[in-house]
């Protein structure tokens, strides 16, 4: 089956948290429409860029794009941007049931509101290995009042201007900024604007709900909680999880989970659904939505105060959740026993010519003007640095608990070229930032693949002993995974998807500041590329008959 969508993308004044600002909408809304498809379907999305002054690209997060690497929607990597006025046709297969996302992948545009859900159902006749009565989706987000331009400019300036903590937290596109906290021109902040009334999820007492929870925050790591209700985690990034019960679900930007909730509490009232910032000193009030027990009035506030979030700087329960996520019995895909190649990626905050940047092995990433996919396919060698970035870092002699002795790093748009079909291990090693006694959380997202999560730990990775503790029995597969403060995360994937794929920190400002790498594999197996992805940089004239 073909699922055909036509989207018009533009700027509109919106007040998702009661504060009026320009947001990017799809067909008038943020979040945009949910894409509903069945495993094996072809999704076609015709995107018209009506932003007037700004380029655009849309990434289909978690969709592997096997055979369609030019449809990944990553500006600078797989395509030229869609220029204002143009319509771009994305066409790809959804080959696996599960919960996925889409969002802008041009500059820091995602945080202006261009995002939504993709829900892929099982083929006819197949059923999920867990029972539920109803299926619901929500996206969690954080929200800034400054434009992406102001933020990106501050991050790229001397002196550096940090984006700071978000002004509010949104649940399914709705939040509540305290209008009395800042003097604003009349009409800018209006607490009774219906656009910022809380999201309401209505449940029927006694029924079980599958709630698909996703995070697309620009910065924040979140704890999600439903007052008085436990959640059973059953899916992560499109893979079945060996069920486990949580009170708080920790969720990082780019991740999706399905949780089962039973509406088994006192049915005479409503309950709070909350999000709280964790991992950074919070300066944002909790995100609130209402779990409405039918037939109570959906706008009736719960009679209790919203539950407090967990302690923001307690890493232990977050590490514990990361380690608890295992593949479900009966749905285990076992990784190859040994890797062909191991890449150690030391994550550091650095200076490049006085600018604050993030680096992997002391190299801070920049995007070339000509997309890699086209450059590699047509052998345009001069458009990006042909020397690969460092393949490892001597961790032995690096103190991850201190500010680096030499803070300087360099910029490069060089890439890692992987041999097709080989097994690659990546060790993400966290470290101290340029601030004493500070290490941050980074959610890493890989395009074009799912990887096995072999292990998480705190401290310096021990190349001789930690691999012996890898979970090779029932590791979960994911496309996004956090590294915790001062911690490490080990992943394994097969380089079996011909194309060029970004692997990056999903925090908007961190990727803008260079926190990413690019992998190429099997470029010789990539078929003809659509001319629609070309037209910029050195690709002008390519793809024309
Ligand atoms: O990239 C970042 O920069 C700031 C800070 O480290 C420098 O001001 C911060 O908290 C980040 O996550």
């Amino acid at each position: 089956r073909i699922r055909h969508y036509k989207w018009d993308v533009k700027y509109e004044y919106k007040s998702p948290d009661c504060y009026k600002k320009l947001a990017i909408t799809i067909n008038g809304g943020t979040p945009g429409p949910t894409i509903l498809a069945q495993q094996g379907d072809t999704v076609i999305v015709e995107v018209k860029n009506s932003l007037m002054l700004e380029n655009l690209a849309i990434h289909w997060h978690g969709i592997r794009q096997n055979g369609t690497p030019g449809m990944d929607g990553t500006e600078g990597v797989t395509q030229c941007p869609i220029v204002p006025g143009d319509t771009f046709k994305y066409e790809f297969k959804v080959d696996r049931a599960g919960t996925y996302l889409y969002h802008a992948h041009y500059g820091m545009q995602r945080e202006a509101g261009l995002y939504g859900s993709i829900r892929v159902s099982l083929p006819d006749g197949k059923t999920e290995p867990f029972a539920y009565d109803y299926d619901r989706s929500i996206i969690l987000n954080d929200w800034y009042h400054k434009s992406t331009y102001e933020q990106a400019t501050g991050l790229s300036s001397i002196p550096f201007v940090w984006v700071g903590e978000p002004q509010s937290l949104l649940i399914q596109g709705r939040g509540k900024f305290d209008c009395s906290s800042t003097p604003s021109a009349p009409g800018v902040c209006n607490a009774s604007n219906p656009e910022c009334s809380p999201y309401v999820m209505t449940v029927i007492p006694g029924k079980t709900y599958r709630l698909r929870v996703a995070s697309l925050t620009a910065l924040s790591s979140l704890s999600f909680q439903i007052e008085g209700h436990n959640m059973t985690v059953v899916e992560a990034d499109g893979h079945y999880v060996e069920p486990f019960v949580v009170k708080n679900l920790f969720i990082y930007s780019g991740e999706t989970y399905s949780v089962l909730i039973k509406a088994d509490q006192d049915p005479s009232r409503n309950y709070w659904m909350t999000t709280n910032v964790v991992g950074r000193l919070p300066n944002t009030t909790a995100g609130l939505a209402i779990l409405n027990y039918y037939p109570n009035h959906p706008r009736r506030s719960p009679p209790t105060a919203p539950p407090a979030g967990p302690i923001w700087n307690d890493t232990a329960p977050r590490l514990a959740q990361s380690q608890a996520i295992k593949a479900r019995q009966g749905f285990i895909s076992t990784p190859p026993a040994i890797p062909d190649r191991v890449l150690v990626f030391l994550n550091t905050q650095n200076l490049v010519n006085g600018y604050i940047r993030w680096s992997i092995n002391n190299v801070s990433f920049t995007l070339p003007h000509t997309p890699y996919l086209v450059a590699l396919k047509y052998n345009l060698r001069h458009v990006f640095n042909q020397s690969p970035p460092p393949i490892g870092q001597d961790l032995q002699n690096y103190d991850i608990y201190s500010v680096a002795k030499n803070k300087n790093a360099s910029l490069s748009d060089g890439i890692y070229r992987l041999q097709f079909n080989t097994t690659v291990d990546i060790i993400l090693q966290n470290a101290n930032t340029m601030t004493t006694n500070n290490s941050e959380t980074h959610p890493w997202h890989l395009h074009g693949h799912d990887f096995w999560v072999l292990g998480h730990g705190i401290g310096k990775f021990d190349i001789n002993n930690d691999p012996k503790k890898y979970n090779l029995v029932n590791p979960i597969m994911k496309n996004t995974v956090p590294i915790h403060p001062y911690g490490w995360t080990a992943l394994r994937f097969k380089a079996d998807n011909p194309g060029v794929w970004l692997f990056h920190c999903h925090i908007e400002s961190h990727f803008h500041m260079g926190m990413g790498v690019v992998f190429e594999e099997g470029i010789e197996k990539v078929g003809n590329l659509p001319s629609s992805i070309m037209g910029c940089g050195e690709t002008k004239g390519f793809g024309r008959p």
Side-chain angles (χ1 to χ4, degrees):
R1 289 249 310 259
I2 289 179
R3 310 275 175 163
H4 205 141
Y5 295 85
K6 281 191 178 174
W7 289 358
D8 190 32
V9 175
K10 60 174 190 248
Y11 271 105
E12 289 182 70
Y13 277 107
K14 290 281 176 190
S15 306
D17 65 347
C18 307
Y19 184 95
K20 189 163 99 179
K21 68 161 263 184
L22 282 175
I24 300 181
T25 60
I26 300 175
N27 298 348
T30 170
T34 297
I35 293 182
L36 294 171
Q38 194 176 24
Q39 184 172 310
D41 285 352
T42 295
V43 173
I44 297 178
V45 187
E46 286 180 61
V47 180
K48 170 141 201 259
N49 179 358
S50 299
L51 295 173
M52 295 191 281
L53 306 175
E54 211 172 301
N55 291 334
L56 173 69
I58 300 182
H59 169 57
W60 316 94
H61 182 115
I63 309 297
R64 286 169 296 183
Q65 304 292 356
N66 203 276
T68 51
M71 292 291 142
D72 190 47
T74 315
E75 189 271 331
V77 179
T78 67
Q79 72 167 98
C80 291
I82 311 168
V83 298
D86 268 11
T87 296
F88 187 99
K89 188 169 149 192
Y90 287 101
E91 180 168 353
F92 53 87
K93 245 188 141 142
V94 287
D95 59 0
R96 193 163 39 94
T99 310
Y100 308 102
L101 297 162
Y102 65 82
H103 59 78
H105 219 302
Y106 175 78
M108 290 171 61
Q109 236 169 29
R110 185 182 90 220
E111 65 175 66
L114 202 175
Y115 63 93
S117 305
I118 304 176
R119 196 196 285 182
V120 182
S121 57
L122 286 168
D124 289 341
K126 286 216 165 181
T127 52
E128 308 282 356
F130 43 83
Y132 54 93
D133 301 299
Y134 299 99
D135 199 337
R136 301 275 183 272
S137 305
I138 52 170
I139 302 187
L140 312 179
N141 208 358
D142 50 12
W143 193 248
Y144 286 87
H145 292 166
K146 276 193 179 164
S147 72
T148 56
Y149 278 103
E150 283 179 88
Q151 295 193 34
T153 304
L155 296 171
S156 307
S157 296
I158 297 177
F160 177 77
V161 184
W162 173 237
V163 298
E165 294 303 306
Q167 275 64 60
S168 52
L169 298 178
L170 309 185
I171 299 181
Q172 196 55 17
R174 286 152 181 273
K176 195 139 246 133
F177 180 68
D178 177 7
C179 290
S180 66
S181 67
T182 47
S184 64
V188 173
C189 202
N190 172 7
S192 53
N193 187 327
E195 281 179 32
C196 60
S197 65
Y199 174 74
V200 177
M201 177 171 142
T202 300
V203 295
I204 298 168
K207 298 290 184 193
T208 298
Y209 290 78
R210 173 184 190 171
L211 181 60
R212 300 169 189 249
V213 189
S215 171
L216 278 177
T217 52
L219 175 69
S220 311
S221 306
L222 298 175
S223 161
F224 172 71
Q225 215 175 137
I226 306 179
E227 184 186 10
H229 295 72
N230 283 334
M231 301 179 269
T232 306
V233 180
V234 291
E235 182 211 353
D237 295 4
H239 294 273
Y240 294 131
V241 170
E242 185 61 21
F244 66 97
V245 176
V246 294
K247 193 164 83 69
N248 300 293
L249 178 74
F250 295 107
I251 183 164
Y252 306 90
S253 183
E255 288 190 313
T256 71
Y257 289 97
S258 284
V259 295
L260 300 180
I261 306 147
K262 190 150 198 234
D264 58 1
Q265 296 301 301
D266 173 5
S268 69
R269 52 163 289 189
N270 293 335
Y271 297 84
W272 294 111
M273 301 168 85
T274 63
T275 54
N276 290 89
V277 171
V278 290
R280 305 180 62 95
L281 178 63
N283 190 25
T284 313
T285 52
L288 294 177
I290 292 175
L291 184 75
N292 165 232
Y293 269 59
Y294 182 84
N296 295 295
H297 194 280
R299 299 256 172 267
R300 199 165 108 206
S301 279
T304 38
I311 300 163
W312 72 270
N313 59 355
D314 185 2
T315 309
R318 290 188 277 128
L319 177 71
Q321 183 188 302
S322 292
Q323 291 175 331
I325 305 172
K326 307 276 165 59
R328 188 179 180 116
Q329 293 302 315
F331 299 87
I332 295 170
S333 135
T334 39
I338 45 163
D340 298 302
R341 193 173 175 188
V342 180
L343 298 167
V344 178
F345 286 168
L346 177 66
N347 291 229
T348 54
Q349 196 185 35
N350 298 81
L351 290 177
V352 176
N353 304 324
Y355 292 92
I356 300 185
R357 303 279 302 181
W358 289 90
S359 304
I360 301 310
N361 298 340
N362 272 323
V363 173
S364 187
F365 179 70
T366 52
L367 276 172
H369 189 54
T370 300
Y372 292 107
L373 182 62
V374 185
L376 286 158
K377 168 87 178 161
Y378 291 103
N379 223 0
L380 309 172
R381 289 172 183 271
H382 57 288
V383 303
F384 68 90
N385 186 347
Q386 296 297 301
S387 32
I391 55 159
Q393 171 82 25
D394 175 18
L395 289 183
Q396 240 56 352
N397 296 311
Y398 190 91
D399 178 6
I400 64 159
Y401 290 103
S402 305
V403 175
K405 286 194 202 82
N406 176 5
K407 293 184 191 148
N408 291 319
S410 57
L411 289 184
S412 176
D413 57 9
I415 65 168
Y416 295 92
R417 305 197 66 166
L418 307 174
Q419 210 153 14
F420 189 67
N421 253 333
T422 54
T423 301
V424 180
D425 275 15
I426 295 178
I427 318 298
L428 292 164
Q429 174 69 58
N430 211 342
N432 205 100
T433 62
M434 289 197 294
T435 308
T436 322
N437 288 326
N438 178 245
S439 181
E440 302 186 353
T441 303
H442 302 282
W444 279 84
H445 172 59
L446 179 59
H447 291 220
H449 308 74
D450 295 320
F451 46 73
W452 291 276
V453 183
L454 303 182
H456 291 271
I458 300 291
K460 201 194 282 187
F461 182 77
D462 176 352
I463 196 94
N464 296 315
N465 293 303
D466 284 325
K468 292 178 193 149
K469 296 178 232 155
Y470 282 168
N471 176 10
L472 300 175
V473 177
N474 58 352
I476 190 70
M477 295 193 86
K478 293 185 98 257
N479 61 59
T480 307
V481 76
I483 43 169
H484 297 291
Y486 299 110
W488 57 264
T489 297
L491 322 172
R492 181 167 294 175
F493 70 96
K494 278 212 85 165
D496 57 1
N497 191 5
V500 187
W501 309 106
L502 188 61
F503 180 46
H504 64 106
C505 175
H506 214 259
I507 292 174
E508 284 275 67
S509 44
H510 290 180
F511 178 57
H512 177 85
M513 293 162 75
M515 202 167 200
V517 299
V518 166
F519 298 119
E520 173 275 330
E521 69 214 38
I523 190 71
E524 65 288 347
K525 294 186 167 56
V526 171
N528 284 337
L529 293 172
S531 59
S532 58
I533 67 171
M534 305 176 201
C536 59
E538 298 292 315
T539 70
K540 289 193 184 76
F542 274 92
R544 299 220 184 100

